[in-house]
Amino acid sequence: MRVGFVGLGAMGLPMARNLHRAGLLTAVWNRTGEKARTLASELALEAPATLAELAAGCDGVVSCVSADADVLEVVGALAPGLAAGALMIDCSTTAADTARRAAELLQRGGAEFLDCPVSGGVEGAREGTLAIMAGGSPEAFERARPVLAAMGRTVTLFGPVGNGQAAKATNQIMCAGIIEAVSEAMAFARAQGLPLEKLIDTLGKGAGSSWYFVHRAPNMVRGSYPAGFRVRLHAKDLAICRDMAARFGVALPVVERMLGEYAELIARGHGDEDISATFRLKAQLFTPARDNRS
Ligand code: NAP
């Protein structure tokens, strides 16, 4: 399969590199064109000016862009160039409804769509060890398998289009609870005067450990939160979870709480930091008199 990649952000760039290593990547496109041209010249790939041109030269397109409206914009721009039978694999995190809408738009020209959101952070993207949650037809999934295997280690089809995003929404609720617990525990440990690096080494091997504790608690020690997974992107995902739960008349406490905390971080200008910046709010609980607003 000749694959084009759209969206060379924190996740997309290393995912594209892994597709190149697997010998599958032919062309790249990014909204800020310079990123695509730089990667294309480094890896000897095409960097077409438009999405329709990219689509015309590929049998498959992988996308990893920010949010729902961005995916639909990309789908609209790719559609005129995609041949009947072409496959679009969207690795962005969106609402399940958005995935279904994208599939409908592409179906008109005979192209197929798989929603394939990912989990594993920028480290997983770099190492090609992402967990990938797919939604779509079994035939499309089988065609996509070599592409997905180049980017992830655990690749699972959860049912029709939209079900990959429902699985990812489940994951995002867990991430919310875990990052909140890790931030709170680290603020507590710092207030106790514990040696924090030693603590991460030890508790990282204990029953309360998690990927977020091992990989993101060090950010809290350093007071530095490079993205990573941006606060505003997780807030976008939790708003999706809120809508999905609301259809059952349910407001999920973990989701509601984290949306409140993220709104505060975004209002203070921390929306583009990694979600471990939640530590800023938890640390403040222990130093209410100090100005922790920077
Ligand atoms: P990011 O670093 O902010 O990159 C976003 C990418 O999307 C950039 O290439 C950006 O182009 C492009 N983009 C945004 N709006 C666009 C539009 N309207 N049309 C075309 N391109 C557009 O984000 P990321 O962290 O890579 O996340 C990408 C997706 O993966 C999101 O859905 C996120 O929720 C999901 N995700 C992220 C992580 C993580 O740990 N970061 C983990 C799992 C899943 P420009 O370069 O022009 O801005």
Side-chain angles (χ1 to χ4, degrees):
M1 193 187 282
R2 293 168 306 155
V3 177
F5 201 101
V6 176
L8 301 169
M11 295 295 286
L13 179 61
M15 289 162 73
R17 286 188 182 282
N18 283 329
L19 286 174
H20 171 72
R21 276 187 207 106
L24 292 165
L25 192 62
T26 57
V28 289
W29 186 92
N30 193 70
R31 180 178 59 179
T32 307
E34 190 51 33
K35 288 189 203 169
R37 289 189 290 275
T38 303
L39 186 68
S41 83
E42 182 196 326
L43 303 180
L45 303 167
E46 301 290 319
T50 67
L51 282 167
E53 286 172 63
L54 177 107
C58 298
D59 318 300
V61 175
V62 180
S63 53
C64 190
V65 298
S66 305
D68 298 58
D70 307 312
V71 171
L72 293 176
E73 201 178 310
V74 166
V75 167
L78 283 171
L82 283 173
L87 182 60
M88 177 169 176
I89 300 168
D90 181 40
C91 296
S92 323
T93 304
T94 71
D97 283 348
T98 300
R100 290 189 275 268
R101 177 89 191 108
E104 270 167 33
L105 290 170
L106 290 179
Q107 206 174 23
R108 292 175 196 166
E112 269 209 271
F113 180 87
L114 283 171
D115 49 312
C116 290
V118 301
S119 178
V122 289
E123 291 86 346
R126 206 165 42 233
E127 289 153 20
T129 56
L130 292 167
I132 306 184
M133 297 144 273
S137 73
E139 297 74 25
F141 180 67
E142 283 313 316
R143 281 172 61 207
R145 207 183 261 286
V147 176
L148 299 175
M151 303 186 291
R153 184 182 286 161
T154 308
V155 179
T156 311
L157 180 66
F158 282 96
V161 169
N163 278 21
Q165 295 295 356
K168 171 73 183 184
T170 309
N171 183 69
Q172 297 314 78
I173 297 170
M174 289 199 288
C175 291
I178 292 165
I179 199 68
E180 164 132 64
V182 170
S183 310
E184 202 165 293
M186 288 298 286
F188 171 86
R190 191 173 77 169
Q192 305 303 315
L194 288 167
L196 297 179
E197 281 170 6
K198 222 185 243 185
L199 187 79
I200 294 170
D201 275 353
T202 305
L203 299 194
K205 294 168 185 77
S209 186
S210 62
W211 188 93
Y212 271 107
F213 181 67
V214 171
H215 290 88
R216 297 294 181 251
N219 285 357
M220 301 174 193
V221 179
R222 288 190 289 265
S224 158
Y225 312 97
F229 186 29
R230 294 174 210 275
V231 165
R232 67 174 80 257
L233 289 180
H234 198 197
K236 173 257 304 179
D237 298 349
L238 293 179
I240 291 169
C241 298
R242 169 190 271 169
D243 287 350
M244 291 171 83
R247 291 181 194 182
F248 296 83
V250 172
L252 293 171
V254 168
V255 169
E256 294 305 320
R257 187 173 174 88
M258 280 314 282
L259 279 168
E261 293 192 6
Y262 286 161
E264 192 172 345
L265 284 171
I266 291 167
R268 290 191 196 177
H270 300 304
D272 282 316
E273 289 183 343
D274 183 76
I275 59 172
S276 44
T278 312
F279 182 73
R280 291 180 183 280
L281 304 181
K282 301 297 183 182
Q284 201 178 310
L285 295 174
F286 288 91
T287 54
R290 264 187 27 213
D291 183 10
N292 260 332
R293 284 173 176 268
S294 58

